[in-house]
Amino acid sequence: MAWRSSGSSNESLITNLTRNGLIESERVKDAMLKVDRAHYAPSSPYEDSPQPIGHAATISAPHMHASACESLLTYLSPGAKVLDVGSGSGYLTAVLANLVGPTGTVIGIEHIQPLVDMGRGNMAKSEEGRRMLDSGQVKFVKGDGRKGWAEGAPYDAIHVGAAAAEHHKELTDQLKAPGRLFVPVAEGHLQHIYVIDKMEDGSVDKQKKFGVQYVPLTDAPKS
Ligand code: SAH
């Protein structure tokens, strides 16, 4: 089903994702329409599939980006603060920035320096992306995302774009109350999306969603 959403342009890709029910809200649709995936995916940018971006990383499939945004949406109000762990190409970082608007902040954290630079460089390909970088609405930082990014905490929403081997407490600790974490977690050979809510009273609710296939959240390669 997911693969049937491929298009010949950014607009047709987003239209097909919407028609197939993978994008449900106007807000996510608008945010994705404003980011040209060709600035982020080196090949077949309008295919609904992951694409390699080097350094053993991939830009995730558009339907996964849509699903992450839909799932986090109530925590992505204008002005919200968001952490994007494993920001890779920077595509989702840019979409999240559109959702939280100019009064919001999105921090993309990556542990491979060339990918930190790639995320920033990809965003700088558009005038709107350059404005977001210059204003500080979007920031790319280098670090081990399994520990979150304490400097920017607490966050309304945290997205993790690589599969965690365990539930990292630092990420939940850095959520606001209320706040939401979207994270793929590896369990044996399988991976599942977990949506983890920190409630207003500080209690935590974990919900296991659907099966997925992400690259793993790892130690940084030795350079
Ligand atoms: N959201 C990105 C996904 C990139 S793939 C996109 O769609 O473009 C997952 C990314 O997680 C890779 O770029 C990889 O380098 C990064 N990553 C893996 N382990 C990490 C860690 N411990 N800390 C930060 N980033 C990590």
Side-chain angles (χ1 to χ4, degrees):
M1 261 178 320
W3 310 95
R4 278 197 249 129
S5 301
S6 298
S8 55
S9 65
N10 205 55
E11 198 179 343
S12 61
L13 167 67
I14 307 304
T15 303
N16 292 341
L17 286 166
T18 307
R19 196 172 37 221
N20 292 334
L22 298 155
I23 294 175
E24 292 170 48
S25 73
E26 279 300 312
R27 289 189 63 215
V28 172
K29 185 179 177 189
D30 287 348
M32 287 181 73
L33 276 173
K34 284 187 191 149
V35 183
D36 189 346
R37 200 163 177 275
H39 290 171
Y40 298 84
S43 61
S44 308
Y46 306 127
E47 222 176 68
D48 187 19
S49 63
Q51 303 290 337
I53 56 171
H55 307 275
T58 58
I59 174 170
S60 299
H63 68 270
M64 276 315 307
H65 287 143
S67 165
C69 291
E70 291 289 352
S71 169
L72 292 170
L73 194 59
T74 41
Y75 297 88
L76 301 174
S77 306
K81 200 158 198 197
V82 183
L83 183 67
D84 182 23
V85 175
S87 48
S89 67
Y91 172 84
L92 186 66
T93 324
V95 173
L96 291 167
N98 281 329
L99 284 161
V100 302
T103 56
T105 314
V106 185
I107 298 167
I109 182 166
E110 234 319 314
H111 67 163
I112 298 177
Q113 187 62 50
L115 291 176
V116 177
D117 300 339
M118 182 191 287
R120 202 180 282 131
N122 285 343
M123 271 202 82
K125 289 175 188 170
S126 74
E127 199 182 321
E128 178 65 353
R130 288 192 293 279
R131 187 198 59 69
M132 288 175 171
L133 289 167
D134 290 346
S135 68
Q137 183 180 344
V138 171
K139 214 185 302 183
F140 289 96
V141 298
K142 179 170 184 269
D144 183 351
R146 291 172 294 193
K147 297 185 172 66
W149 183 252
E151 282 93 320
Y155 302 100
D156 296 275
I158 300 178
H159 169 265
V160 183
E166 57 184 284
H167 286 276
H168 295 287
K169 185 173 176 296
E170 286 92 337
L171 297 176
T172 322
D173 286 348
Q174 291 177 23
L175 281 178
K176 285 185 192 172
R180 180 171 286 178
L181 166 64
F182 178 100
V183 57
V185 179
E187 298 162 317
H189 294 304
L190 302 175
Q191 299 176 356
H192 287 93
I193 292 293
Y194 276 81
V195 172
I196 300 177
D197 283 337
K198 190 189 273 188
M199 311 300 199
E200 240 159 292
D201 65 2
S203 63
V204 171
D205 174 64
K206 269 187 204 166
Q207 285 202 34
K208 186 172 174 171
K209 301 288 188 183
F210 44 92
V212 286
Q213 242 185 326
Y214 278 69
V215 302
L217 205 52
T218 60
D219 290 332
K222 305 253 182 298
S223 50

